[in-house]
Amino acid sequence: MSTSKRIILTLVAFFITVFHIIPFYILITTSLKVRGDFSSRWTFPDYFTLENFTTAWQNANLGNAFMNSFIITTGAAILLIFFGSMAAYPLARRATKLNKAILVLFVAIMVVPPLTALVPLYQMVVQIGMLNTRTVAILNNVAAFMPLTIFLYSGFIRSTIPKELEEAAKIDGCSTLGIFFKIVFPLLKPVTASVLIIACVFIWNDYQFAIFFLQSSDVHTLTVAMDSFVGANQNNLGLVAAAAFMAMIPMAILFLFLQKYFIAGLSSGAVKG
Amino acid sequence: MSELAGKVSNTVNPKKPKKYKIEKHSSLWWMYLPALLFVTTFIVYPFINGFRISFTDWNGFSQDSNFIGLDQYRRMFTDPTTWTVVRNTLLYGIGSTILQNVIGLGYALLLNSKIKMRTLTRTVVYLPVIISPLIMGYIFYLIFAFQNGALNDAITFFGFNPINALGNPSVNPLIIVLVNTYQFVGIAMIIYLAGLQSISKDYYEAADIDGASAWQQFKSITLPLLAPSITINVVLNIIGGLKLFDVIIALTGGGPGNASQSSSTFMYSLYFSRQDAGYAATQGILVAFIILIISLLALWYFKRKEIEA
């Protein structure tokens, strides 16, 4: 590659980077401006106050929302990893007619858009009295991501875990569950990491399910809390910007530190899903 | 790991005990029972129940509802809003797919060359993928808002009249496509980048010797060998775009009127604002069919291309 071409391409990359940073730049300038400051969003204010951040944190009840998002995401991720890997094992190892049919069922469900089932699901949740509980949010997200989880685990087990390992353990007198959790599961770390990242990003950011099932403010997750906070503060965008900034920061920091794993994990889900 | 496996297999007695053989042919179905239970309760059963609700006039909260046959379907096909919603849903799906693939491939080609800053560019382009689309929508509201939005601040700075991008029904669906593209172009970029890196340099060297131009090389080597990545990206982006919800709620709320409503937001407003659950379920079935047909068509079309390539 010639030097001039390299310089042009580097410049192009520079402009793309700047272009993609603009929204975050606007978010920060806005979040630092107090109510009634209508100066251009492109400029920083000539004063410094974090008032928007403290007010937004309290009024949007973000502490509580962080806690709810954290509980729901962690709970769902643990159940997904436990039941998903356990389900994938026989589906990957025992190619009986029944198991093949079940695997097809799981794959078929991946194509069906979850929102199709939202109205009847809401009805069912109301009937069993689980509306506005974190439990229902956890169970729902587990169901929504179960097919993808099983798909990732069974593909990995089939292609990388040697059968001989399990046969040896079997002869040593291990039970099936014992073999799975003591011998197979520890070898599944790479795919467990992918499942964990996919679950964390999508369940943490979920809004469509949460807005249906978590309407009462004490169970609001970050997205739902943001939604109602924005609704109440549409004429004070400084507050909205501060709240949005705080809501996105935990995931953004995790991403910047674990970028390699995030990109690998999310694309493995994308490629196989 | 294979070394370990080798050692283990050496220790296995060639005459396998009977107990093992029995286990081998059992399906171990109880191990996937919990997963199956989750999926049946929260996806399969509601999905089937959705068909039942679509034949009723249920309002979403009362105990009773009446069976009204195909009335909701008749209503759906004569409702002009249905066509606005279907048009928008297709625009979000197909528009985002085209933009994300063209721009994503462009970015991938750029970052595949050995330039400085490519790690930084990759990080910045990918970052929005992990941020909630709802919050991304609010951030873009700061840019596109009519009063004191960053776009209008810039436009008026240069002496032009401000534009009402979000309030104009013929423009705001396009803004929504652009925001969705900005957010998820990173996924397409990464998948294309992985695809590009798996293409052997030998092809390009041979083409250079034959005197093929850069464009000829792109057309005859890069594109055909990227076919699997294109399939993945197209199917993924179409499904994501057709399901669009969060960004629309954050930017326009589906308005003005129903002008920027997608199937998802329309169902949501039918259910909660208009107490029209039976009709919402009917719209849900329509969108399920649209998504199914389009993703199968896309899969079929691009898979065929892959085989030819």
Side-chain angles (χ1 to χ4, degrees):
Chain A
M1 194 163 44
S2 65
T3 323
S4 61
K5 198 181 163 197
R6 192 189 300 256
I7 291 170
I8 291 170
L9 289 180
T10 309
L11 269 177
V12 173
F14 174 75
F15 282 117
I16 290 172
T17 312
V18 170
F19 181 73
H20 278 259
I21 289 177
I22 288 175
F24 297 102
Y25 170 79
I26 301 288
L27 178 73
I28 293 170
T29 60
T30 308
S31 70
L32 292 171
K33 286 180 188 174
V34 294
R35 183 176 201 151
D37 181 344
F38 293 114
S39 59
S40 170
R41 296 225 183 279
W42 297 89
T43 58
F44 274 95
D46 48 15
Y47 48 85
F48 181 76
T49 170
L50 292 176
E51 191 191 309
N52 281 337
F53 288 86
T54 49
T55 316
W57 178 268
Q58 282 161 4
N59 293 6
N61 208 356
L62 284 182
N64 185 51
F66 268 116
M67 206 57 211
N68 287 329
S69 286
F70 182 76
I71 293 171
I72 291 168
T73 307
T74 325
I78 292 172
L79 291 179
L80 268 174
I81 288 169
F82 185 78
F83 289 123
S85 62
M86 198 169 112
Y89 176 68
L91 295 177
R93 275 285 178 262
R94 307 281 192 274
T96 62
K97 271 187 188 139
L98 176 69
N99 288 1
K100 279 182 193 161
I102 297 285
L103 196 59
V104 169
L105 173 76
F106 279 119
V107 174
I109 289 171
M110 281 201 283
V111 186
V112 176
L115 70 104
T116 321
L118 217 46
V119 170
L121 185 60
Y122 181 77
Q123 183 199 24
M124 184 182 86
V125 168
V126 173
Q127 273 170 358
I128 57 178
M130 286 181 80
L131 194 69
N132 291 324
T133 59
R134 283 179 287 258
T135 316
V136 82
I138 293 177
L139 297 179
N140 218 340
N141 279 310
V142 171
F145 290 96
M146 188 59 89
L148 179 61
T149 306
I150 290 179
F151 200 73
L152 289 176
Y153 271 119
S154 62
F156 190 85
I157 294 173
R158 203 179 296 124
S159 61
T160 47
I161 306 293
K163 265 187 180 163
E164 289 82 357
L165 218 60
E166 298 148 48
E167 286 167 8
K170 179 69 69 185
I171 290 154
D172 291 343
C174 264
S175 69
T176 316
L177 260 193
I179 292 178
F180 178 70
F181 281 107
K182 278 187 211 139
I183 296 170
V184 180
F185 189 75
L187 298 174
L188 300 179
K189 266 181 208 137
V191 68
T192 301
S194 297
V195 170
L196 192 67
I197 283 166
I198 292 170
C200 284
V201 170
F202 290 110
I203 297 173
W204 182 271
N205 291 335
D206 166 59
Y207 171 67
Q208 199 169 5
F209 281 116
I211 191 73
F212 270 79
F213 302 110
L214 303 171
Q215 295 164 4
S216 128
S217 64
D218 56 323
V219 289
H220 274 180
T221 56
L222 270 177
T223 48
V224 189
M226 274 301 296
D227 177 55
S228 60
F229 184 70
V230 172
N233 291 286
Q234 260 171 349
N235 51 3
N236 193 351
L237 291 178
L239 276 184
V240 171
F245 184 82
M246 289 186 284
M248 76 171 208
I249 218 67
M251 210 33 103
I253 289 176
L254 265 185
F255 170 72
L256 292 178
F257 280 104
L258 301 169
Q259 199 187 140
K260 202 174 73 186
Y261 301 97
F262 267 74
I263 291 179
L266 287 172
S267 20
S268 79
V271 171
K272 283 157 189 162
Chain B
M1 204 188 306
S2 60
E3 202 181 306
L4 176 69
K7 274 181 196 158
V8 174
S9 73
N10 285 340
T11 63
V12 172
N13 188 334
K15 282 179 198 165
K16 286 167 189 160
K18 257 190 179 162
K19 192 185 162 221
Y20 173 70
K21 278 194 173 162
I22 295 163
E23 268 291 324
K24 191 178 181 180
H25 293 288
S26 80
S27 62
L28 294 177
W29 57 272
W30 54 269
M31 282 181 80
Y32 51 74
L33 205 58
L36 202 57
L37 205 67
F38 269 110
V39 169
T40 327
T41 317
F42 290 94
I43 300 175
V44 179
Y45 169 71
F47 184 72
I48 294 166
N49 208 5
F51 276 98
R52 191 188 57 78
I53 295 175
S54 74
F55 294 109
T56 69
D57 62 356
W58 188 49
N59 63 11
F61 54 87
S62 88
Q63 289 300 314
D64 41 39
S65 60
N66 304 308
F67 180 80
I68 53 166
L70 289 172
D71 281 6
Q72 300 283 25
Y73 288 87
R74 228 168 273 137
R75 185 181 157 198
M76 181 169 74
F77 288 113
T78 52
D79 183 352
T81 312
T82 304
W83 303 114
T84 312
V85 166
V86 168
R87 189 208 65 190
N88 285 344
T89 307
L90 292 178
L91 177 71
Y92 298 148
I94 296 168
S96 317
T97 304
I98 294 171
L99 283 182
Q100 283 176 47
N101 279 282
V102 173
I103 301 173
L105 180 56
Y107 284 6
L109 287 168
L110 177 71
L111 298 186
N112 197 37
S113 59
K114 293 198 167 25
I115 51 165
K116 280 175 186 163
M117 304 214 345
R118 55 183 188 162
T119 322
L120 178 68
T121 308
R122 194 186 66 174
T123 306
V124 170
V125 172
Y126 199 85
L127 180 66
V129 170
I130 55 105
I131 291 170
S132 143
L134 184 79
I135 289 170
M136 217 60 236
Y138 293 137
I139 296 176
F140 273 93
Y141 182 77
L142 304 175
I143 293 179
F144 290 114
F146 181 62
Q147 285 199 330
N148 203 211
L151 181 67
N152 280 340
D153 282 347
I155 288 176
T156 48
F157 179 80
F158 290 108
F160 295 99
N161 288 327
I163 53 167
N164 190 0
L166 295 177
N168 183 343
S170 56
V171 179
N172 65 11
L174 297 173
I175 302 279
I176 290 167
V177 168
L178 287 179
V179 173
N180 186 45
T181 303
Y182 167 86
Q183 173 147 32
F184 290 112
V185 71
I187 293 187
M189 175 188 75
I190 290 292
I191 292 174
Y192 281 130
L193 203 52
L196 286 174
Q197 281 159 359
S198 71
I199 299 176
S200 162
K201 297 271 178 293
D202 298 353
Y203 293 116
Y204 296 104
E205 278 163 22
D208 270 335
I209 292 166
D210 292 347
S213 70
W215 170 246
Q216 281 173 324
Q217 292 187 17
F218 177 74
K219 214 179 62 177
S220 321
I221 302 172
T222 314
L223 268 189
L225 289 174
L226 275 184
S229 313
I230 299 176
T231 312
I232 296 158
N233 271 326
V234 167
V235 173
L236 207 69
N237 297 342
I238 281 190
I239 294 177
L242 292 174
K243 287 198 286 196
L244 211 58
F245 181 78
D246 309 23
V247 184
I248 305 168
I249 297 283
L251 282 176
T252 66
N258 287 316
S260 58
Q261 208 88 268
S262 73
S263 290
S264 318
T265 59
F266 188 47
M267 276 169 59
Y268 176 73
S269 75
L270 281 175
Y271 196 102
F272 284 114
S273 318
R274 309 180 203 183
Q275 273 85 45
D276 213 344
Y279 192 38
T282 318
Q283 290 281 347
I285 288 176
L286 179 69
V287 65
F289 270 108
I290 293 177
I291 294 185
L292 202 65
I293 289 169
I294 291 186
S295 41
L296 287 180
L297 273 180
L299 203 61
W300 170 77
Y301 176 79
F302 286 101
K303 277 281 172 205
R304 211 188 45 171
K305 286 264 163 187
E306 266 177 49
I307 294 163
E308 281 173 9

